[in-house]
Amino acid sequence: MSADVRVRFAPSPTGPLHIGGVRTALFNYLFAKKHNGTFILRIEDTDQNRYVEGAEDYIVESLNWCNIPYDEGPGKDGVYGPYRQSERKNRYKKYALQLIENGAAYYAFDTPEELATARENAEANKETFIYNHHNRLNFTNSLTLTESEVQERMDRGDDYVIRFKPEIKTLFIFDEIRKGIEIDTSLLDDKVLFKSDGMPTYHLANIVDDHEMKISHVIRGEEWLPSMALHVLLYESLNWDAPKFAHLPLILKPTGKGKLSKRDGDKMGFPVFPLEWNPENGEKSSGYREDGYLPEAVVNMLAFLGWNPGTEQEIFTLDELVQSFSLDHVNNSGAKFDPEKTKWFQQQWFVQQDDAVVGTAFAKALQAKGIEYGSEEFVNIVVGLVKERAVFVEDLFELAGFFFTAPIEFDEKAASKSWKEDTADIMNNMIAVIQKTEDDSAVGLSDAVKGWIKEQEMGFGKVMMPLRLSLVGSLMGPDVFEIASLIGKQETVRRIQFAIEKLG
Ligand code: GLU
């Protein structure tokens, strides 16, 4: 591949970025990095009616959180900027005029009312209304008016649009993922390229910018596949080389039926956005970041939505993804979103982290809840003992909360199973054993207590279960002597005494 790979992610800032959009950005990023190319962010904000405050910042923050920053884009001006279409407004009209000159476009003066009537008439005849070669001569446009009539209308300030006039032929287009497709262009409509408000439509702005920004590959969602023929025709009509195209498969609901939507996430309890979205006057939506997911896990999961490495390997760092990525391994059928698999990726990434990294996050979470944790070192050791069983930092409260706060309640089932009539006496005797022990390491405590149990010829469970219950409040947790050693002899004794008081 040539060294000049330039790809772009071109979202419209109409709200929070769906994870499908993040997947598109990721595949563009991977493709760019794989080929030492450039990854560009272009904000397609020509439709001011759909513009949503904060959406652009959200997009940038999402890419940064995923560790897939853009090389060129808003705030990172390269030679091809500006990167917001609203700041490129004045560039588009000349191309619309060039198309008119080339005979590939025309002015149309039809009013919204006239078009509505035409649509109603078509519907009355059970036809879908389409404005193209079969009826364009019935409308008010520069193909039916004389040059001076057109001029007259413009001079008096009539609204007009510029429409495309597709050449009628069998068009062969090639998609890197779908391969060759044959299109009968007589089925296309005469798309509006330039609107009466002086702004281009998506189609014109998109191809002009891709051309001016020297985009080599357009990698985008499958919902744009139906526009590809029009885009290719536009390039042809402007005598420009078209970029290569790759349309990524849709992300489907967990059931496999239809596109994944925010509603699916709400219903089944998973986010469909990378970050939380909390508009001032609007509905709040959850995000992967705030739900405790690691960006590495989210990226890994997204990579597998529509791509596969062709091997059994499933855990990939971003660098490994860059090395392995190729469009040849992108599927052409929809990718089912699987919330359980997403959790699995998170779990895999979570346990791989250093104890100190998880420890820092957990310490912060403890602090936020006003729980004293002593030192970070202590938290790190605790994390090392329980990390394997956690998927999120939040899980550590349940798995390890007792290291920081003594139980005040005891799990009822566990208590009735482990605390018998003679337990209080046994526990009192054990307190004496623990107090006598000089070595208060986990091994030291274990040797002392286990030695004593053997001496007394008691069953292990009779002692170990109530001991655990006293320290933890339930019968779960890591090695009980690790716990005792970490919280210290004094606290261990205090907790046993409390249990005796409470359970009798
Ligand atoms: N602005 C379009 C979108 O919102 C871009 C489509 C494309 O990549 O061409 O997805």
Side-chain angles (χ1 to χ4, degrees):
M1 192 133 345
S2 85
D4 292 312
V5 165
R6 290 177 56 81
V7 296
R8 80 322 187 257
F9 175 50
S12 300
T14 54
L17 182 63
H18 186 277
I19 50 167
V22 184
R23 197 263 323 246
T24 300
L26 173 65
F27 283 24
N28 274 283
Y29 174 90
L30 296 176
F31 187 78
K33 299 299 142 184
K34 167 99 186 198
H35 299 288
N36 295 319
T38 305
F39 172 49
I40 296 148
L41 174 68
R42 184 172 73 227
I43 300 295
E44 300 210 323
D45 57 351
T46 48
D47 190 349
Q48 289 295 323
N49 296 327
R50 295 181 60 219
Y51 181 83
V52 171
E53 199 62 45
E56 182 185 317
D57 289 343
Y58 180 97
I59 291 164
V60 174
E61 204 180 328
S62 300
L63 300 184
N64 289 338
W65 181 67
C66 289
N67 248 312
I68 52 171
Y70 51 92
D71 304 308
E72 287 175 28
K76 289 188 192 171
D77 278 358
V79 273
Y80 300 98
Y83 295 92
R84 283 184 201 99
Q85 286 185 331
S86 57
E87 291 167 16
R88 303 173 65 83
K89 272 209 271 272
N90 301 327
R91 299 174 175 244
Y92 305 109
K93 189 161 188 189
K94 71 166 183 267
Y95 296 113
L97 296 180
Q98 196 173 317
L99 285 167
I100 291 185
E101 206 146 288
N102 297 354
Y106 59 91
Y107 298 107
F109 296 91
D110 315 289
T111 63
E113 295 73 31
E114 283 162 353
L115 290 172
T117 309
R119 181 163 292 114
E120 277 160 28
N121 290 342
E123 276 158 16
N125 289 330
K126 304 216 176 327
E127 285 164 10
T128 335
F129 176 66
I130 177 165
Y131 192 130
N132 70 359
H133 63 92
H134 85 283
N135 59 358
R136 62 168 81 104
L137 295 182
N138 303 336
F139 289 101
T140 319
N141 52 46
S142 56
L143 305 173
T144 55
L145 300 171
T146 64
E147 219 166 290
S148 61
E149 282 170 330
V150 168
Q151 199 52 55
E152 198 178 306
R153 280 169 181 269
M154 286 187 173
D155 291 346
R156 68 176 192 233
D158 280 8
D159 277 347
Y160 66 87
V161 299
I162 296 177
R163 282 183 185 271
F164 188 51
K165 188 168 147 247
E167 184 191 341
I168 295 182
K169 62 177 177 181
T170 304
L171 178 71
F172 294 96
I173 57 178
F174 187 85
D175 180 270
E176 300 293 315
I177 295 163
R178 314 261 144 179
K179 309 302 174 197
I181 309 169
E182 219 179 272
I183 306 273
D184 172 3
T185 66
S186 75
L187 301 173
L188 301 179
D189 62 339
D190 293 358
K191 273 269 179 302
V192 173
L193 300 177
F194 205 82
K195 296 177 289 180
S196 52
D197 62 3
M199 287 289 265
T201 58
Y202 154 73
H203 300 289
L204 181 67
N206 186 268
I207 64 115
V208 165
D209 287 348
D210 282 346
H211 173 74
E212 290 197 341
M213 294 181 179
K214 297 212 165 47
I215 298 302
S216 61
H217 295 74
V218 169
I219 303 172
R220 61 185 174 190
E222 186 184 301
E223 59 274 32
W224 300 103
L225 187 60
S227 303
M228 185 177 160
L230 166 67
H231 293 180
V232 170
L233 287 176
L234 282 167
Y235 282 103
E236 281 182 8
S237 307
L238 286 160
N239 299 314
W240 293 343
D241 286 335
K244 293 205 156 86
F245 288 91
H247 289 89
L248 306 175
L250 291 178
I251 299 180
L252 305 176
K253 296 177 189 303
T255 56
K257 288 195 198 96
K259 237 166 105 167
L260 177 70
S261 71
K262 172 163 151 44
R263 215 167 323 133
D264 302 315
D266 291 344
K267 241 186 0 213
M268 296 177 63
F270 60 83
V272 297
F273 300 115
L275 317 178
E276 189 175 273
W277 173 255
N278 199 0
E280 227 165 72
N281 32 28
E283 204 193 324
K284 174 166 148 177
S285 306
S286 64
Y288 280 91
R289 180 177 67 183
E290 289 72 13
D291 276 15
Y293 282 83
L294 293 165
E296 291 85 353
V298 173
V299 162
N300 201 158
M301 172 277 285
L302 289 175
F304 274 79
L305 286 178
W307 170 83
N308 68 78
T311 65
E312 295 291 297
Q313 186 183 345
E314 288 190 283
I315 301 301
F316 281 81
T317 63
L318 194 57
D319 280 346
E320 289 170 331
L321 286 172
V322 168
Q323 293 318 315
S324 312
F325 187 77
S326 101
L327 290 174
D328 296 341
H329 279 271
V330 175
N331 310 330
N332 58 15
S333 57
K336 231 193 274 180
F337 181 78
D338 181 349
E340 288 312 310
K341 189 76 190 190
T342 306
K343 273 210 184 120
W344 179 84
F345 277 115
Q346 164 66 13
Q347 189 262 335
Q348 297 288 313
W349 275 98
F350 190 82
V351 299
Q352 271 191 37
Q353 297 176 99
D354 284 343
D355 294 348
V357 172
V358 182
T360 304
F362 189 32
K364 219 163 126 193
L366 286 163
Q367 193 165 31
K369 290 204 178 164
I371 300 173
E372 299 257 348
Y373 59 82
S375 68
E376 285 226 2
E377 269 110 335
F378 179 73
V379 179
N380 295 350
I381 296 169
V382 166
V383 161
L385 289 176
V386 301
K387 192 180 69 180
E388 295 290 324
R389 315 244 307 281
V391 180
F392 300 102
V393 169
E394 201 60 28
D395 297 342
L396 297 171
F397 286 103
E398 181 161 355
L399 293 169
F402 53 84
F403 280 104
F404 309 96
T405 36
I408 39 170
E409 303 284 349
F410 296 94
D411 181 72
E412 249 176 65
K413 255 205 195 144
S416 76
K417 185 169 158 201
S418 58
W419 203 277
K420 307 289 174 194
E421 290 230 320
D422 54 353
T423 303
D425 283 343
I426 298 174
M427 289 291 112
N428 272 320
N429 291 335
M430 195 179 54
I431 288 176
V433 174
I434 291 173
Q435 272 167 338
K436 258 206 330 248
T437 314
E438 266 166 33
D439 179 357
D440 60 1
S441 67
V443 178
L445 290 168
S446 167
D447 286 350
V449 172
K450 284 182 178 162
W452 171 71
I453 297 174
K454 271 195 201 140
E455 235 172 71
Q456 303 292 308
E457 296 184 352
M458 283 183 294
F460 267 85
K462 229 171 147 45
V463 182
M464 302 294 279
M465 282 210 290
L467 174 59
R468 177 177 293 280
L469 183 72
S470 309
L471 302 190
V472 175
S474 73
L475 294 180
M476 55 147 240
D479 179 68
V480 75
F481 297 108
E482 292 276 9
I483 301 172
S485 164
L486 275 170
I487 62 177
K489 251 165 71 168
Q490 221 185 342
E491 174 67 6
T492 300
V493 168
R494 213 190 56 70
R495 289 191 188 185
I496 300 171
Q497 280 167 340
F498 178 76
I500 295 172
E501 250 167 62
K502 188 117 193 203
L503 301 168

